[in-house]
Amino acid sequence: MVLKESLQSDSAAYFEMARTLLAPGAMHDTYGNAAFYSPGYPFALAAMFGIAGVKLSAALTLNLILATISTLLTYLLARRATGNGVLALIAAAGFAVLIPAVAGSALLLRENLSVPLLLGFTLAIVILLETRRPLLVAGVAGLLYGAGMLAGASVILTGGTVVVALLWRHRSWPGTSAAAFAFAAGTALMLGPWVLHVDHVLGRPALNTNGPFNLYVGNNPAANGRFVSMADTPLGAEWRVIRARDGELRATDYLGELAVAHMRAYPVQTGILALRKLALFWSPDFPDSTDQSRGAAITTLRWIDGLQHLLIVALGLLAVVQWRRRTKAERLILLVIAGFWAIHAAAYVMPRYRLPIMPLLLISAASAALPLARRPVRVPAATVPA
């Protein structure tokens, strides 16, 4: 309410998707697309709009509810993974004052939903390590993973950690296979209706149509690792013509073909750019001229944001170095972070894209920091004259 962020770009698209989901006719975004943006967050918005009305205050209330759930899940996951209540409180408090998370609650962005879903999924696979009900827990993990995919496909590689958790259980192969099937069934149950809807509307089953778009933005002669406007790519204004002529699905397919052709033609440059994206993913987001124009308070908060980030990343890296000291649950958390990070080498990165794994990184950072804080200070013994 204080920031009074306006509805524009992605926020406006999500708002429109939720509004049209409740209205007669097909759901679409502000650009007329049926499945360009991930539908998970608009689904949650629509549910809130159904209760409180189609208004911005209802959406902000939903964001605060999701933030509260995320904070609680951060505590529960840290407590389960480490068995340390103090560490869990530190991690949860760290997320509660994390500047990007606080500022993100003022915007209608899918990360607000991706955070609690990824936390819930990670908690499920941590429980899967030792539970006596692997089929039930694996099925719940599948539902949460599927919901996470609906909220944003960037979690796709994190699904591989389920396999790791099942292998680390050291149980019989029939039991492991049954749990894997339960996970797959839960995922399919969550994704199936939406994929069938897209097939009905666009003529082909798909999770969304922005994958090829993002791949092209991240892999073209003008790509630099961050978001580049389509107007600044070789297509330029031609993109609007292609989109109007070919429609949502065929137009984005064409972008995907251009991206793949560029990557094949310049494999070395593509590899170097991918590494640059992985590095940019963790770079601090210090204030720029736009932030400075909004006043001293915003600029100060953004500096705090950058310093917060550097501290968390440094301690998280220490947790990675201390891999052998970490519990299996803590290692799973690190693997989830790695899977989420790796997929961002494909397209492009923005600072807010890393928000879903920041609570996980906070847990890892706290697990590395707490022993250092509790280490006794050695005071040299006083020299007593003979």
Side-chain angles (χ1 to χ4, degrees), residues 16 58 101 121 146 151 155 166 172 189 206 208 216 222 237-238 241 268 287 289 297 325 333 348 369 373:
E16 182 67 4
F121 165 74
V155 301
L166 290 173
S172 65
L189 184 63
N208 57 56
Y216 177 75
E238 186 182 355
V241 177
V268 176
S289 58
R325 300 184 192 177
I333 291 173
Y348 61 91

Side-chain angles (χ1 to χ4, degrees), residues 87 124 190 245:
L87 188 153
M190 187 60 69
R245 182 190 66 206

Side-chain angles (χ1 to χ4, degrees), residues 69-83 88-89 92 119 123 126-127 363:
I69 294 172
S70 297
T71 307
L72 177 60
L73 285 173
T74 301
Y75 173 83
L76 294 175
L77 175 58
R79 184 68 182 263
R80 179 78 186 202
T82 67
L89 284 172
L119 280 166
L123 178 59
V126 165
I127 294 174
I363 295 172

